[in-house]
């Protein structure tokens, strides 16, 4: 009997229960500010990525392939809205260089629906003068494409933003890019209503046109572009006003000869490729 009691006590001594508790993480991921990420290696990698992209977009052989990469364009557009980030200007520089290739303009406007609104927001609200200049240069190149002129002008607050840049600019580069964009947009009859509904738009263009009195080269160029804009607007307004008189029905029903000269405007680009 004594031996059986010792055996039972040994069995109790080495018997234990293992319980497993599962932990489920139900917390949402914490969003870290773009420039406050603690991973310093990530910041260095970003600089390298921007430098690589900037080299690639300056080559005709690669710029079209980059414009078709959704992930790259979406990332650049999001970074462009980080106004106080050092990457803000870098992203806009790359986007501006993408628009230098004429075949990219239609693609960028119609494939990426946020492309124009982002450029408008940057050109209007960015505190960085260089960032605004690159956004305006991108709009200037996009407005060269005839299929993009109406979408650019009809983007919310676009013409208003360009008009404000004529009056409030920190560099001549901003002024020239803004007035050149308006010049290109003026050569599209569908955009005329946008010029007339924005307060002080035509008045601001006239003011720039009269700015060639100081003899500065940049002011002369801006004035020249402004005068081109006014000439183009007046041409299309007159074409519309006299369209009824172009066909004078007489006994034979012949078409009356054109009484207006068809203006030919050569659009102005920012370092555009042929």
């Amino acid at each position: 009997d004594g031996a059986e009691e010792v055996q039972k006590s040994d069995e109790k001594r080495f018997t234990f229960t293992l319980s497993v508790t599962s932990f489920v993480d139900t917390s949402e991921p914490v969003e870290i500010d773009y420039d406050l990420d603690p991973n310093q290696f990530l910041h260095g990698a970003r600089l390298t990525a921007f430098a690589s992209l900037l080299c690639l977009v300056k080559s005709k052989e690669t710029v079209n392939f980059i414009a078709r990469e959704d992930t790259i364009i979406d990332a650049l557009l999001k970074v462009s809205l980080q106004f106080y980030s050092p990457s803000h200007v870098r992203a806009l520089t790359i986007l501006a260089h993408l628009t230098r290739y004429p075949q990219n303009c239609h693609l960028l406007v119609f494939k990426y629906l946020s492309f124009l609104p982002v450029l408008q927001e940057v050109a209007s609200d960015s505190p960085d003068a260089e960032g605004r200049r690159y956004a305006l240069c991108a709009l200037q190149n996009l407005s060269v494409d005839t299929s993009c002129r109406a979408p650019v002008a009809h983007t919310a607050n676009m013409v208003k933003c360009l008009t404000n840049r004529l009056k409030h600019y920190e560099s001549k580069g901003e002024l020239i890019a803004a007035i050149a964009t308006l010049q290109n947009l003026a050569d599209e009859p569908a955009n005329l209503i946008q010029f007339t509904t924005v307060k002080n738009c035509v008045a601001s263009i006239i003011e720039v046109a009269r700015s060639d009195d100081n003899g500065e080269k940049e002011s002369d160029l801006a004035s020249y572009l402004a005068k081109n804009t006014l000439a183009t607007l007046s041409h299309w307004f007159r074409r519309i006003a006299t369209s009824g008189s172009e066909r004078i029905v007489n006994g034979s029903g012949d078409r009356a000869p054109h009484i207006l000269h068809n203006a030919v405007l050569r659009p102005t680009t920012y370092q555009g490729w042929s």
Side-chain angles (χ1 to χ4, degrees):
D1 294 339
E4 292 178 358
E5 292 179 359
V6 172
Q7 184 178 1
K8 290 180 179 181
S9 63
D10 290 341
E11 290 176 356
K12 292 179 180 179
R13 185 182 305 168
F14 295 102
T15 302
F16 62 92
T17 303
L18 178 65
S19 61
V20 179
T21 304
S22 61
F23 295 92
V24 179
D25 186 8
T26 58
S27 62
E28 297 181 357
V30 179
E31 184 176 353
I32 302 176
D33 187 90
Y34 181 78
D35 290 311
L36 297 180
D37 195 298
N39 187 353
Q40 296 301 318
F41 294 102
L42 180 61
H43 297 291
R46 285 172 180 164
L47 293 177
T48 304
F50 279 120
S52 300
L53 285 173
L54 190 57
C55 290
L56 292 173
V57 295
K58 293 181 180 180
S59 170
K60 287 185 179 181
E61 288 73 20
T62 57
V63 68
N64 188 248
F65 295 100
I66 297 174
R68 297 177 183 276
E69 291 294 331
D70 301 21
T71 305
I72 294 178
I73 302 302
D74 290 339
L76 291 172
L77 291 174
K78 291 178 180 178
V79 176
S80 297
L81 296 177
Q82 301 288 331
F83 291 160
Y84 296 96
S85 170
S87 303
H88 169 63
V89 177
R90 297 188 181 100
L92 286 164
T93 305
I94 295 170
L95 292 176
H97 279 285
L98 286 174
T99 62
R100 294 174 58 195
Y101 192 59
Q103 282 76 2
N104 282 349
C105 293
H106 185 90
L107 173 70
L108 293 171
V109 168
F110 290 94
K111 181 178 181 180
Y112 307 102
L113 300 182
S114 62
F115 198 86
L116 291 176
V118 167
L119 293 180
Q120 183 276 326
E121 185 174 350
V122 172
S124 178
D125 300 330
S126 174
D128 192 292
E130 195 71 1
R132 294 195 304 269
R133 185 177 73 86
Y134 276 116
L136 292 168
C137 289
L139 290 171
Q140 179 182 348
N141 284 341
L142 294 175
S143 63
V144 173
D145 192 315
T146 55
S147 65
C148 298
R149 288 174 183 170
V152 171
H154 288 75
T155 299
N157 297 320
M158 181 65 78
V159 176
K160 180 180 179 180
C161 164
L162 295 171
T163 301
N164 289 336
R165 285 297 131 223
L166 299 185
K167 299 182 292 184
H168 307 288
Y169 57 87
E170 292 185 23
S171 68
K172 292 295 184 181
E174 281 187 75
L175 173 63
I176 292 174
I179 191 61
T181 304
L182 288 172
Q183 173 202 252
N184 296 339
L185 295 177
D187 199 23
E188 171 56 55
N191 294 341
L192 296 181
I193 190 66
Q194 304 301 320
F195 283 85
T196 57
T197 56
V198 174
K199 185 178 180 180
N200 296 327
C201 178
V202 176
S204 299
I205 297 173
I206 294 174
E207 185 176 350
V208 175
R210 299 174 59 187
S211 65
D212 57 351
D213 298 333
N214 55 16
E216 294 182 2
K217 182 178 179 180
E218 292 82 1
S219 298
D220 290 347
L221 177 58
S223 175
Y224 173 78
L225 296 173
K227 292 171 182 176
N228 268 355
T229 307
L230 294 172
T232 306
L233 287 174
S234 66
H235 167 78
W236 287 116
F237 279 124
R238 190 180 174 194
R239 270 304 281 274
I240 294 173
T242 59
S243 59
S245 64
E246 290 189 358
R247 179 183 292 273
I248 300 176
V249 180
N250 50 28
S252 60
D254 295 333
R255 174 184 288 273
H258 289 287
I259 58 177
L260 287 179
H261 172 69
N262 291 328
V264 178
L265 175 67
R266 182 178 181 180
T268 306
T269 66
Y270 164 71
Q271 298 182 2
W273 285 319
S274 59

